[in-house]
Amino acid sequence: MAAPLSDGDRRKQISVRGIAGLGDVAEVRKSFNRHLHFTLVKDRNVATPRDYYFALAHTVRDHLVGRWIRTQQHYYERDPKRIYYLSLEFYMGRTLQNTMVNLGLQNACDEAIYQLGLDLEELEEIEEDAGLGNGGLGRLAACFLDSMATLGLAAYGYGIRYEFGIFNQKIVDGWQVEEADDWLRYGNPWEKARPEYMLPVHFYGRVDHTPEGVKWIDTQVVLAMPYDTPVPGYKNNTVNTMRLWSAKAPNDFNLQEFNMGDYIEAVLDRNLAENISRVLYPNDNFFEGKELRLKQEYFVVAATLQDIIRRFKSSKFGCRDPVRTCFETFPDKVAIQLNDTHPALSIPELMRILVDVEKVDWDKAWEITKRTCAYTNHTVLPEALERWPVSMFEKLLPRHLEIIYALNQMHLDHVAALYPGDIDRLRRMSVIEEGDCKRINMANLCVIGSHAVNGVARIHSDIVKNSVFKDFYELEPEKFQNKTNGITPRRWLLLCNPGLADIIAEKIGEGFITDLSQLKKLLDFINNETFIRDVAKVKQENKLKFAAYLEEQYKVKINPSSMFDVQVKRIHEYKRQLLNCLHAITLYNRIRSNPSKSFVPRTIMIGGKAAPGYHMAKMIIKLITSIGEVINNDPYVGDKLKVIFLENYRVSLAEKVIPAADLSQQISTAGTEASGTGNMKFMVNGALTIGTMDGANVEMAEEAGEENLFIFGMRVEDVEALDRKGYNAREYYERLPELRQAIDQISSGFFSPRDPGCFKDVVNMLMYHDRFKVFADYEAYIKCQGQVDQLFMDPREWTKKVIRNIACSGKFSSDRTITEYAREIWGVEPSATKIPPPNLPRD
């Protein structure tokens, strides 16, 4: 096996990381020293590694500023239609390396830092992840921002600047323990506060119907302070903006007449207002109907819509006086994309502004609202759908409740006219759910208030049309679309796997970085021995590097020539980490019963966070760690099998583990995973997929050929048939001896000798109320894993399949996804024009 390259050798190689000109290197060094001195007020004698990280971050940020200002100027002058991506989550990860990649500065910075006697990779590791998301939905928003900038769209991401992002996960005695993620503790060099654009947001109060119109009065005010983060496109000098709102109490907060006496108490109470942006709700695919969460949802919507309307009214750069006063053209200049139902209040809020404030006629306002808004659905799990109690709305947002009632009435009148006497249809299609606790169905509100509704993979969009929103689809089929998710190839190939990116560029050039479909050209090299060897070598280097990282961080030693079998994603019953556990136990039992037989060595890695209140998910983590404890310490097993739980899975850890994976597990019950995006990251990074026909796996199999993935288990139709028949777990337990043995071991305390009853809840769920039918796919899964072993024993054939998968992954770029949104939902064209850089005069 080749020795890892020295720094010098690495620099001589062809590289897609930008050429390091001598001038650039000197400039970076000079800027670095200037920031260390003037920004951080340190010299080399007292500076810490963190100071060096900040000096470099400010140096790189300097290269963004001119482009950022110029991009915004460019938009003001051209006055294009603007795209507003509203999301309660943006799972950004780290920014330094991504910025260097997109600006083509990576080699210059690498060389400059090297000349200063420092290590770039060490500095990169100091940066905190911006963990402002839970999983797929938040990471998708981040990939979309990268693609929108790269495609030259005048786009803005709007969300909340959570003081505490997704919790840090610690494993203590095998259990998940949460720690607050104080990511801003040392400051964030990438954001710029914009107090001059602070805006008021109103809560509570009452509605007054006057002859002059409706007034929402006696409200409590919270201020929204914007923080802007630059979003650079790939080498096109475009820098867009992500604007995150932070809650501030107004200075007179609680100091009104009733609190005259207790000044100190009143000032302390400012925290109540500012709690709105304190913490991200850590639930993935689960609705928790807390008032604070509803406040967060309205907070981001109210601040953002004021901003959108201000920008719509003033079209010239630097001018804040309203120019446009007529809202006829609003949908031609503004597109609002709702990332799930979390920003659904945009619909009644836009209506409120148009009707109550701007005095637009109701029907006209409704037409404008529908033409402006579009809704992306992210899940079909019923427990994830947002259904807010009417009583909570009544108190917090009384005017919005009135507007929702009026919109719903209008909608139901329309439905009743088309389907006279169909009371059940009216009940299903109503935005208001009747019952012991009246609720507002936010998904139904989004569908009636949007001109486009999309799912995030073909199979998911079909389910959306045929079951979740079946009645709405019958009413307005033209509204429903599919937009299969994608990932940004900048972060998920160039940045995290430079070795692979380099050997691809050697063969087909660099065009694939902004047009991932060009990877198809690699099909010409599937039988090229040099390329096969190079791909295998890059994978092996990535595996060695990750093994070293695991040893350093977690003190676990793994066998780098074993198969790296990886399942990383949020812990959830529907994602079926339990099926993976049953396979691990089955392998273990086979090794134990035949220790002399030759086995394909595996390192099974499972990682992901469980929502703090999700008991079963936390039990699943405990089961994984307990299985690992037994297997990893059994001398009979040795190097043949290891089970590792990857602690605190997050974007920056994904960037390390994904390039090192051999096998990617995507094993949700068919019909439950809307799309998945981790599946795509593994595919483009040269892992093979074992998976069900669910989410985007279906399209991955279609692109690469089903025979080039390890597809197993029930299809959606089979799951439906089994539901009709009735799923009986015991049937499988009785029929399959290896399954029975595994369950009996979990049940008897074999994996928890100090607490034999530890996993009774897990076993009870699997045996008597498993919605996700783990046992029904067990047999097919074990058999399929046998085929994985067979192929892995033939490295050449394995690598050829890897190359075919990489070559066929081009569809799954978020550039393709965003191009489809742009053309088919927003009505704009991506632009290839490069804005002139700051050092050149403008056109």
Side-chain angles (χ1 to χ4, degrees), residues 278-566:
R278 195 79 67 202
V279 59
L280 168 74
Y281 273 84
N283 305 314
D284 187 75
N285 272 293
F286 183 77
F287 169 60
E288 186 174 2
K290 294 282 197 288
E291 184 178 43
L292 181 62
R293 171 66 172 194
L294 185 57
K295 278 185 175 165
Q296 289 181 340
E297 292 183 355
Y298 181 62
F299 176 74
V300 65
V301 157
T304 300
L305 275 165
Q306 290 180 71
D307 224 27
I308 290 174
I309 285 166
R310 170 186 62 75
R311 207 176 276 120
F312 166 75
K313 285 181 172 181
S314 68
S315 60
K316 274 282 180 282
F317 186 68
C319 157
R320 301 202 49 201
D321 307 322
V323 175
R324 293 195 184 96
T325 43
C326 165
F327 281 85
E328 278 288 337
T329 61
F330 192 74
D332 305 321
K333 286 295 177 188
V334 172
I336 294 173
Q337 191 67 35
L338 307 174
N339 195 24
D340 214 317
T341 58
H342 312 147
L345 287 165
S346 299
I347 292 163
E349 174 67 4
L350 183 51
M351 283 297 284
R352 185 189 70 79
I353 294 170
L354 291 176
V355 174
D356 296 358
V357 181
E358 301 290 346
K359 308 298 182 197
V360 177
D361 166 78
W362 177 275
D363 291 332
K364 185 77 212 161
W366 185 230
E367 187 210 325
I368 291 168
T369 298
K370 282 203 290 192
R371 282 180 56 212
T372 302
C373 296
Y375 158 57
T376 302
N377 173 275
H378 280 275
T379 180
V380 298
L381 296 184
E383 64 268 35
L385 293 177
E386 293 198 293
R387 296 155 62 249
W388 290 104
V390 165
S391 56
M392 198 182 284
F393 255 81
E394 218 156 19
K395 185 170 73 134
L396 195 69
L397 300 168
R399 178 55 180 151
H400 297 76
L401 182 60
E402 288 185 349
I403 291 169
I404 289 167
Y405 271 129
L407 294 175
N408 191 44
Q409 192 56 57
M410 203 165 59
H411 159 64
L412 292 182
D413 289 346
H414 177 55
V415 175
L418 289 171
Y419 302 93
D422 193 341
I423 304 301
D424 209 49
R425 183 182 296 263
L426 289 176
R427 182 189 55 74
R428 292 194 307 265
M429 295 183 76
S430 177
V431 176
I432 309 293
E433 296 179 358
E434 302 295 339
D436 45 346
C437 166
K438 279 172 80 166
R439 292 178 178 273
I440 301 174
N441 182 314
M442 301 303 269
N444 287 5
L445 177 62
C446 284
V447 175
I448 69 166
S450 299
H451 70 278
V453 174
N454 72 281
V456 290
R458 194 197 317 131
I459 186 178
H460 169 235
S461 296
D462 288 344
I463 293 169
V464 160
K465 291 189 289 203
N466 303 328
S467 82
V468 188
F469 297 130
K470 183 171 188 286
D471 299 308
F472 294 93
Y473 177 64
E474 285 171 17
L475 190 66
E476 306 178 276
E478 67 290 343
K479 224 182 228 195
F480 291 81
Q481 303 189 17
N482 172 244
K483 295 285 170 278
T484 299
N485 283 162
I487 58 172
T488 170
R490 272 73 62 183
R491 184 176 294 265
W492 297 113
L493 179 51
L494 222 57
L495 179 155
C496 72
N497 204 342
L500 182 59
D502 279 347
I503 62 168
I504 293 172
E506 275 173 31
K507 286 283 183 261
I508 66 170
E510 293 185 17
F512 71 93
I513 299 169
T514 50
D515 175 14
L516 205 63
S517 67
Q518 291 188 26
L519 290 178
K520 273 265 181 280
K521 297 177 188 170
L522 292 175
L523 290 172
D524 296 343
F525 301 97
I526 257 171
N527 293 301
N528 179 308
E529 294 306 324
T530 326
F531 191 60
I532 293 172
R533 202 177 56 238
D534 285 346
V535 169
K537 177 167 160 278
V538 165
K539 179 62 73 179
Q540 197 51 43
E541 285 170 357
N542 291 341
K543 289 173 72 173
L544 282 167
K545 188 171 181 183
F546 189 66
Y549 173 82
L550 281 187
E551 203 175 330
E552 184 214 333
Q553 292 291 309
Y554 303 108
K555 311 286 173 257
V556 267
K557 255 187 129 61
I558 58 174
N559 169 11
S561 59
S562 65
M563 182 198 306
F564 283 14
D565 168 348
V566 183

Side-chain angles (χ1 to χ4, degrees), residues 257-268:
E257 50 289 351
F258 56 82
N259 225 331
M260 216 91 75
D262 209 341
Y263 163 74
I264 296 290
E265 207 45 37
V267 172
L268 298 184

Side-chain angles (χ1 to χ4, degrees), residues 47 70 91 127 268 299 426 479 486 511 594 598 616 636 727 758:
R70 190 166 271 205
Y91 204 171
E127 182 175 359
L268 298 184
F299 176 74
L426 289 176
K479 224 182 228 195
N594 199 348
S598 81
M616 188 56 66
Y636 283 101
Y727 168 65
C758 184

